[in-house]
Amino acid sequence: MSSSLCQTPSCIHAASELLYNLSPDYQTIDPCTNFDTLVCDGFNGRHDIPQDKTSYSTGTIMSENGQTTLRHILESPYPSSSEHSSFSPQNLIKVAASTDEENFLMIQEAYNSCMNETVLQNIGAAPLVSLIDQVAASFPVAEGAYGGDEPLGEADFAALSETILLLERLFVSSFVGLTAGADDKNPDVVIIQAFPRGLSLPSPEYYQDTDTIVTYQAMLEDVFSALLPTNSSRASAKELAKSVVELEAKIASFTPPPEDQSDVTKYYNIVNIADVGKIGPAIGLDSVIQALVPENYTADTMLLAFPEFLGNVSEVVSQASKSTVQSYLIWQLINVYSSYVEAPETHPIDRFSNSLSGKDPDTKPERWKTCVSYVDSTLGWILSRFYIEAAFSDEAKEYGDQIILDIKHQFISKLNDLSWMDDSVKKLAVNKVNNIDQKIGFPTTSPNITNPDALQAYYSGLAISDSFFNNTVASNAREVNRTWSALGKPADHGEWGMQADIVNAYYNPVGNEIVFPAGIMQFPVFELGLPGYVSYGAFASVAGHELSHAFDNSGRHYDEHGNFTDWWTNNTVQEFDKRATCFVDQYNNFTVQGNDGEPLHVNGRLTLGENIADAGGVSAAFAAWKSRTESAPDQNLPGLDFFSHEQLFFVFYANWWCGKVRKEQAIQYIYTDPHSPTFARVLGTTANSRAFRESFNCPVKEPTCELW
């Protein structure tokens, strides 16, 4: 059956953008070995990484378009005449419309408080200094003791615990990250959780790099000489900077690797809170927790990831000098709050951070971008409500739901066809797919962003003024209170972990849910009115990726209700591990250039879950698209007749990953990011796709690695 040519403006636009991104030599490049070059060389040729960014990609462009939409919202009057949807201002009853406008004025005031740089420069570092003084008063050091060796004693443990509590209430972590969240083994119950923290550099590897340590220590010296609380401490800035770096280096030496920190079989460890103080006596985490939990909540047990880490931290802290510990705590505060003041005292932090990620030390993003991001992180659900008004539709939500239901259907079909999975496990796995909660576009509970009263109630108690710094402190305090007040209540599975404008998606194993904000359901990943191979190649592959996480090396440990439990047979586990090892070995062979010019290998174990999900996502998306087009073939796109529709499916998939990254940032990703570099995500996934290899008639049709 021949296909007609789509010549609508949307189709012409999609074809034009894709042709710009393709290599000029796309007709002669071998897709079986250089598909990333074929699809993305044009993108790389016409895009440079902006000065204020560490990378630039298709996703970056989508995010920038979204940010521009948010800017227009925040810099325009309340959209009183909008009739976009049932919750548009024109369609709200008068009382609700009034509340809606109050909410709108709240986000505008927060934005304006951030945008007024003249006022912020006049205020300078004063509000940050006020917080520093609070930390110094909470953990005092004698004036003559700075730079000396006066060690921490048991008599100081209580003050240290009180200061860690002070920081936690300011939304600042120190040696350990504390939170409250759903229990992996009982996802309807909220429990206290603690995870390793304590490092200011991106990963432990940075503490072994001499050049990084020298520049980091010099930056700390500059900051300490300007912001430490007393003349004596500022005069000892050089010694204190050195001792703080040494303290962090010791913590780095026993920090669990990121692949272990994300492994539920390794981090899930329930302990009695009474024992936590014995494990780490210098930190006094038990006292901190008792002060943070609600008055009516009895705190008996908690999840303490890697108890040996807490014990080691306690030991190195107890051996450090009091002045080192105080300076470390003050630095943790400064590091979080320095971006909320405009002052020369904090400029060394920006310069160091820029250099570490490969940017020019003095680069600075346009202020409106900073302030849009600030409002999104502070009052994100109100901003999301107006973003949805401007950039999403009921039809888009329906199409997204259809795609994900198609993905579920195909994934179940693939499960049933597996020869290596035992039938008893297949049955439970199918139940798990059917039970996955799919959330599309925006939340309608916790809060319901279409309801102005619900939004106002969600942010009740948060007073927004013309003070940027005070707004930040108030918002952080509210978030801390919201987190800890969840204890003793059923876990709220209506909550989302991303605002509606975010260009991303996620699978949450605790609760068994996949979430797709409206931000990722935009061109060129997703659009109504285009041939199916566009949205199925890109968005459906993302959807399949997130669903595949339910069965990756981490997600497979959770059952259909999101419980961490042992529900696979031994034989199925062995067969899974055998195939997973193939992915580890495959991705270990991808490299980026290291600082010394030598190749730095991808960590196949750290990236295993994402690599499994990439392969499973494309496989399910291709099958879903083929099923959809059996009765109604897609139209052709103008100028792309060189490719078959099957090939275009994969071209649009790879187009989503077009991008470039600074060398320094690429290195950081190798150490910290569970995702493989984008070129590896294209080359690895297409090597693992039978459908790709058949569509392009590659010599070898068999996938390199295959699970789902």
Side-chain angles (χ1 to χ4, degrees):
M1 185 186 301
S2 61
S3 299
S4 61
L5 181 66
C6 179
Q7 293 183 295
T8 65
S10 293
C11 284
I12 293 169
H13 178 220
S16 172
E17 286 295 311
L18 192 71
L19 285 163
Y20 269 123
N21 287 352
L22 292 174
S23 167
D25 303 319
Y26 71 87
Q27 296 191 14
T28 58
I29 293 172
D30 181 5
C32 303
T33 56
N34 293 297
F35 197 55
D36 59 327
T37 303
L38 186 157
V39 176
C40 299
D41 240 21
F43 180 99
N44 293 335
R46 69 188 180 113
H47 291 294
D48 290 323
I49 302 175
Q51 277 195 329
D52 64 333
K53 295 191 181 300
T54 59
S55 61
Y56 200 71
S57 65
T58 301
T60 309
I61 295 171
M62 292 173 68
S63 292
E64 287 184 333
N65 291 340
Q67 275 205 317
T68 299
T69 298
L70 297 178
R71 181 190 188 184
H72 292 167
I73 290 167
L74 289 163
E75 294 183 359
S76 300
Y78 173 67
S80 57
S81 60
S82 177
E83 299 179 280
H84 173 268
S85 59
S86 61
F87 55 92
S88 296
Q90 276 290 300
N91 298 324
L92 293 171
I93 61 173
K94 187 173 182 180
V95 175
S98 175
T99 304
D100 197 45
E101 187 166 6
E102 288 173 12
N103 292 339
F104 180 80
L105 294 175
M106 191 176 183
I107 58 173
Q108 274 200 327
E109 183 157 24
Y111 180 71
N112 292 336
S113 76
C114 174
M115 286 293 291
N116 199 336
E117 289 186 276
T118 302
V119 168
L120 295 176
Q121 288 163 1
N122 289 336
I123 294 171
L128 176 58
V129 169
S130 177
L131 289 185
I132 291 170
D133 289 343
Q134 289 183 42
V135 174
S138 178
F139 191 79
V141 173
E143 182 65 10
Y146 286 102
D149 297 326
E150 181 189 354
L152 209 67
E154 286 191 29
D156 301 308
F157 290 176
L160 176 55
S161 176
E162 282 293 321
T163 310
I164 291 171
L165 171 62
L166 170 64
L167 291 174
E168 286 289 338
R169 285 176 167 153
L170 289 167
F171 212 38
V172 177
S173 290
S174 51
F175 304 106
V176 176
L178 279 174
T179 191
D183 184 353
D184 294 270
K185 287 197 172 183
N186 190 0
D188 290 329
V189 174
V190 178
I191 61 170
I192 301 160
Q193 304 175 358
F195 293 89
R197 291 291 183 272
L199 305 183
S200 303
L201 296 179
S203 75
E205 288 82 0
Y206 283 82
Y207 292 89
Q208 299 168 15
D209 184 84
T210 303
D211 291 343
T212 299
I213 290 302
V214 168
T215 53
Y216 177 40
Q217 190 169 310
M219 178 273 288
L220 277 184
E221 182 182 346
D222 288 344
V223 172
F224 283 177
S225 65
L227 289 174
L228 285 181
T230 65
N231 291 332
S232 176
S233 60
R234 291 191 290 273
S236 303
K238 185 171 185 175
E239 295 85 352
L240 291 170
K242 183 173 185 292
S243 66
V244 166
V245 172
E246 289 171 349
L247 175 61
E248 289 191 9
K250 289 177 182 176
I251 296 172
S253 70
F254 51 75
T255 295
E259 58 266 36
D260 286 354
Q261 292 198 49
S262 62
D263 186 342
V264 65
T265 67
K266 294 182 178 178
Y267 74 69
Y268 190 85
N269 184 71
I270 300 296
V271 299
N272 290 320
I273 292 176
D275 293 332
V276 173
K278 300 172 187 174
I279 296 169
I283 307 301
L285 212 57
D286 51 332
S287 299
V288 177
I289 289 166
Q290 297 294 357
L292 286 170
V293 301
E295 288 183 10
N296 60 350
Y297 180 79
T298 302
D300 295 322
T301 61
M302 64 177 289
L303 188 160
L304 177 63
F306 308 99
E308 67 280 5
F309 174 84
L310 177 60
N312 289 330
V313 163
S314 179
E315 185 175 348
V316 299
V317 168
S318 65
Q319 294 169 356
S321 70
K322 285 183 67 174
S323 57
T324 297
V325 174
Q326 186 201 65
S327 300
Y328 170 85
L329 296 171
I330 288 172
W331 166 234
Q332 300 311 302
L333 175 80
I334 293 171
N335 204 18
V336 170
Y337 279 93
S338 61
S339 56
Y340 303 108
V341 297
E342 287 293 316
E345 293 92 331
T346 64
H347 288 170
I349 302 172
D350 299 328
R351 291 175 57 83
F352 173 75
S353 178
N354 284 338
S355 297
L356 195 64
S357 57
K359 293 185 286 190
D360 182 275
D362 293 313
T363 194
K364 192 176 181 182
E366 293 176 86
R367 187 65 186 177
W368 71 265
K369 293 181 180 179
T370 298
C371 295
V372 163
S373 297
Y374 168 73
V375 177
D376 206 19
S377 63
T378 306
L379 295 162
W381 294 126
I382 299 177
L383 190 56
S384 289
R385 173 260 180 280
F386 292 98
Y387 173 80
I388 294 299
E389 184 81 21
F392 202 56
S393 67
D394 290 342
E395 292 77 15
K397 191 175 189 307
E398 289 169 8
Y399 188 34
D401 272 318
Q402 171 203 297
I403 287 176
I404 293 164
L405 288 172
D406 287 351
I407 292 290
K408 284 183 174 180
H409 176 75
Q410 293 301 326
F411 206 92
I412 287 171
S413 177
K414 288 178 178 295
L415 285 172
N416 286 326
D417 289 343
L418 290 177
S419 60
W420 58 266
M421 179 177 272
D422 290 339
D423 288 344
S424 61
V425 182
K426 281 185 189 179
K427 183 178 179 181
L428 295 171
V430 168
N431 289 344
K432 182 174 183 178
V433 174
N434 284 324
N435 213 41
I436 289 176
D437 183 14
Q438 59 194 63
K439 298 178 176 179
I440 311 291
F442 54 90
T444 53
T445 60
S446 305
N448 177 1
I449 70 167
T450 70
N451 183 327
D453 291 329
L455 278 173
Q456 191 173 71
Y458 184 82
Y459 290 105
S460 65
L462 178 58
I464 296 296
S465 68
D466 59 1
S467 170
F468 179 46
F469 196 88
N470 288 349
N471 289 341
T472 303
V473 173
S475 176
N476 286 348
R478 174 195 166 275
E479 185 60 27
V480 171
N481 182 64
R482 193 183 70 84
T483 297
W484 290 95
S485 64
L487 289 166
K489 302 172 186 174
D492 187 350
H493 296 299
E495 288 185 334
W496 284 42
M498 291 177 182
Q499 289 85 12
D501 63 277
I502 302 299
V503 182
N504 209 334
Y506 66 92
Y507 170 73
N508 177 22
V510 186
N512 196 28
E513 62 183 14
I514 46 178
V515 183
F516 304 93
I520 200 170
M521 300 174 70
Q522 306 291 327
F523 181 83
V525 170
F526 177 98
E527 185 163 325
L528 297 166
L530 293 178
Y533 48 73
V534 177
S535 291
Y536 275 80
F539 177 73
S541 293
V542 173
H545 170 103
E546 300 307 337
L547 191 149
S548 297
H549 272 312
F551 299 93
D552 68 14
N553 55 307
S554 175
R556 74 166 189 82
H557 292 290
Y558 297 81
D559 68 12
E560 63 191 278
H561 302 296
N563 297 302
F564 167 37
T565 185
D566 189 11
W567 59 285
W568 284 28
T569 61
N570 290 336
N571 175 66
T572 300
V573 170
Q574 289 171 6
E575 293 295 326
F576 175 92
D577 288 344
K578 186 193 307 179
R579 288 159 177 79
T581 299
C582 176
F583 283 88
V584 173
D585 294 340
Q586 177 192 24
Y587 281 84
N588 277 340
N589 288 319
F590 290 114
T591 62
V592 302
Q593 185 182 7
N595 275 327
D596 56 2
E598 294 297 312
L600 184 63
H601 286 262
V602 170
N603 183 340
R605 192 150 296 282
L606 172 61
T607 58
L608 176 59
E610 298 296 335
N611 300 331
I612 290 172
D614 278 348
V618 165
S619 177
F622 186 84
W625 168 69
K626 289 295 286 183
S627 178
R628 273 280 160 190
T629 55
E630 280 179 359
S631 57
D634 281 335
Q635 289 184 289
N636 297 321
L637 285 176
L640 290 169
D641 49 328
F642 176 78
F643 298 104
S644 69
H645 289 184
E646 287 79 8
Q647 291 171 340
L648 282 172
F649 172 95
F650 291 102
V651 170
F652 276 99
Y653 164 74
N655 180 63
W656 162 232
W657 295 119
C658 290
K660 47 186 19 176
V661 61
R662 298 186 191 278
K663 183 184 80 170
E664 294 83 354
Q665 186 64 57
I667 292 169
Q668 186 179 137
Y669 285 153
I670 291 291
Y671 294 138
T672 63
D673 193 350
H675 302 86
S676 294
T678 53
F679 75 88
R681 299 187 76 169
V682 173
L683 295 178
T685 302
T686 52
N688 295 333
S689 168
R690 186 184 303 274
F692 171 86
R693 309 193 72 72
E694 290 176 349
S695 298
F696 284 95
N697 197 28
C698 297
V700 178
K701 306 296 191 293
E702 195 72 20
T704 303
C705 302
E706 189 174 34
L707 261 167
W708 310 117

